[in-house]
């Protein structure tokens, strides 16, 4: 009789836990999807923060260099403002449009590099379909009812 009770308890646990998992999955499906999307948004925000911090660090270094070396400003100003340099003893290289386009593309590609996207798992996408959620809900509720009706303790039967 003891083995029968243990077997009954194990079957009750299996049916009840699988039913509760199915029922919980059907009810919380939208929350799981929202969690995955929020996780992706947090990852993108962290990436943007790291990128902005690196840009701030680069600008701080540039400002320190400009403060410590005033001649640097004289060399950067013509390139930045697009004017011709006025120093007659210096040769300035001329970049062609094709070379500038290639360099610009490389810099932009490096700047726009984003972290890998966190995708919603396939099983969660399947469960989010409304007819499948209803079926999952009914199956979970049925398993819980079956476990309660058929596999509860036999105390009532013994009396």
């Amino acid at each position: 009789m003891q083995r029968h009770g243990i077997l009954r308890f194990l079957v009750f646990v299996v049916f009840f836990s699988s039913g509760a998992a199915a029922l919980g999955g059907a009810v919380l499906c939208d929350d799981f999807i929202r969690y995955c999307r929020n996780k992706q948004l947090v990852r993108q925000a962290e990436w943007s923060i790291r990128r902005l911090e690196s840009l701030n660090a680069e600008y701080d270094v540039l400002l320190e260099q400009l403060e410590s070396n005033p001649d640097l400003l004289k060399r950067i100003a013509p390139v930045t403002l697009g004017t011709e340099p006025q120093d007659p003893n210096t040769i300035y290289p001329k970049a062609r449009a094709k070379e500038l386009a290639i360099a610009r593309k490389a810099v932009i590609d490096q700047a726009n590099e984003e972290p890998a996207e966190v995708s919603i798992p396939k099983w969660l996408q399947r469960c989010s379909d409304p007819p499948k959620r209803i079926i999952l809900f009914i199956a979970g509720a049925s398993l819980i009812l079956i476990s309660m009706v058929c596999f509860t303790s036999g105390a009532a039967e013994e009396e």
Side-chain angles (χ1 to χ4, degrees):
M1 196 64 173
Q2 184 68 8
R3 288 184 185 167
H4 181 66
I6 292 173
L7 180 64
R8 198 174 200 166
F9 175 73
L10 289 176
V11 172
F12 172 79
V13 168
V14 168
F15 271 57
F16 187 83
S17 60
S18 59
L23 196 62
V27 171
L28 298 175
C29 186
D30 290 335
D31 293 331
F32 290 147
I33 290 174
R34 197 174 307 120
Y35 170 76
C36 290
R37 288 188 181 139
N38 287 343
K39 194 174 182 180
Q40 173 63 23
L41 290 174
V42 166
R43 187 169 285 166
Q44 287 177 346
E46 288 173 348
W47 177 80
S48 296
I49 289 171
R50 282 194 308 269
R51 181 156 156 50
L52 289 173
E53 286 173 349
S54 70
L55 285 173
N56 283 339
E58 290 175 12
Y59 287 135
D60 288 341
V61 169
L62 183 61
L63 288 174
E64 287 176 13
Q65 288 176 352
L66 287 174
E67 288 174 0
S68 65
N69 188 359
D71 292 334
L72 184 62
L73 188 58
K74 291 178 186 174
R75 287 184 284 170
I76 292 177
V79 175
T80 305
L81 300 174
T83 61
E84 289 292 321
Q86 300 300 325
D87 192 4
N89 296 329
T90 307
I91 298 175
Y92 292 98
K94 300 286 183 185
R96 294 185 201 116
K98 185 177 180 181
E99 294 168 347
L100 289 175
I102 292 171
R104 180 176 289 130
K105 184 178 183 308
V107 169
I108 289 173
D109 288 346
Q110 182 183 8
N112 291 336
E113 191 175 292
E114 291 189 24
E117 206 172 293
V118 176
S119 63
I120 298 173
K122 298 262 188 221
W123 64 269
L124 190 56
Q125 289 175 352
R126 286 192 304 265
C127 291
S128 66
D129 189 27
K132 291 179 184 174
R133 282 180 69 184
I134 292 171
I135 291 170
L136 192 62
F137 184 86
I138 292 171
S142 300
L143 282 173
I144 289 175
L145 284 174
I146 288 171
S147 65
M148 292 293 204
V149 171
C150 298
F151 303 111
T152 52
S153 67
E157 294 174 7
E158 292 176 7
E159 291 181 10

